[in-house]
Amino acid sequence: MSARAPPPPTMPESDWAVRRIRKELKLLWLDPPAFCRPGPAPVTDPFHWEVVIDGPDGSPYSGGTFPVDVAIPKKYPMKPIKLTFKTKVYHPNIGPEGRMALDIFGEWWSPAITISTALLSVVSVLYDPVLDLPVRRDAALQYRHERGLFEQKARRWTRRYASAPVASFCPAAPGKELLEEAATSGAVARRRSCGAGKWRFFAARLLAI
């Protein structure tokens, strides 16, 4: 009786995570979420890098530039990412140390959530804070009962701590296969966020080759 063949080697969790993160990064910079763009330095560690959120129009954070630290666990996507603002932000869901505290980064995390959708959630919360479980109770109470004073303070903090411009390090143009994937999904044509115009220019040129 012949010996049973050994099972094929399995890929370590961290390798799976790196593959997914790299794919997400390419799509992220090809089709950035609204008001998001690459950080000031190239990504050298897939598990730790930086993104910039430009304060969304119509919010007290408009005109501000917010570098955000992105920390990704080795067991991603089974474990949630961590987003930390590197400047002070007066907001009910952003702690004194800059940590973004939302349920999707805890018990409501799902492997289906991508880095891009997580960033979109953050931008959405800058417009409309989640007041059920605030990390800054003082800001939440003021937002609920004295909205005008809250917005004045949020704007004042934005001018004081987030007025310095931050230039993005733009990655090289993505490959044709990735551009076709994004174009087929309608993503390239759909976005009107910061930086998307440049990627649409690359897409139009490369897809025409």
Side-chain angles (χ1 to χ4, degrees):
M1 185 175 182
S2 59
R4 181 177 297 177
T10 57
M11 183 179 294
E13 287 182 327
S14 60
D15 290 348
W16 283 110
V18 168
R19 289 178 62 181
R20 171 160 165 168
I21 292 168
R22 284 177 176 167
K23 182 176 181 180
E24 285 194 42
L25 271 172
K26 290 177 182 177
L27 287 171
L28 183 65
W29 301 145
L30 169 67
D31 179 39
F35 302 103
C36 299
R37 54 187 173 90
V43 176
T44 57
D45 179 357
F47 294 99
H48 192 195
W49 38 279
E50 194 172 303
V51 65
V52 175
I53 295 178
D54 293 311
D57 299 335
S59 77
Y61 312 100
S62 178
T65 303
F66 302 92
V68 177
D69 184 84
V70 181
I72 305 175
K74 299 292 184 181
K75 292 189 175 182
Y76 179 79
M78 304 311 296
K79 297 291 184 181
I81 66 175
K82 296 178 182 179
L83 300 179
T84 305
F85 282 74
K86 300 180 74 172
T87 61
K88 288 186 175 183
V89 186
Y90 187 65
H91 189 283
N93 302 116
I94 301 175
E97 302 301 321
R99 181 79 171 272
M100 171 56 72
L102 294 175
D103 52 9
I104 64 166
F105 299 123
E107 59 180 326
W108 287 101
W109 173 261
S110 164
I113 298 174
T114 64
I115 300 166
S116 182
T117 54
L119 289 171
L120 280 173
S121 296
V122 172
V123 172
S124 175
V125 168
L126 290 178
Y127 278 114
D128 188 15
V130 178
L131 302 180
D132 295 339
L133 293 171
V135 69
R136 289 190 67 111
R137 292 183 58 83
D138 58 335
L141 288 172
Q142 191 175 48
Y143 183 90
R144 191 187 298 273
H145 300 293
E146 299 176 299
R147 180 77 170 270
L149 291 178
F150 167 85
E151 292 186 350
Q152 288 178 21
K153 186 170 183 177
R155 290 191 184 96
R156 190 162 62 248
W157 280 38
T158 298
R159 289 193 300 268
R160 181 179 300 174
Y161 301 113
S163 60
V166 178
S168 290
F169 176 87
C170 293
K176 183 175 182 179
E177 180 180 345
L178 188 64
L179 290 168
E180 288 175 342
E181 180 181 341
T184 301
S185 69
V188 173
R190 192 170 58 244
R191 282 281 181 253
R192 284 179 290 182
S193 55
C194 180
K198 181 173 183 178
W199 290 124
R200 280 197 293 271
F201 172 76
F202 282 131
R205 291 193 61 186
L206 292 178
L207 288 176
I209 296 176

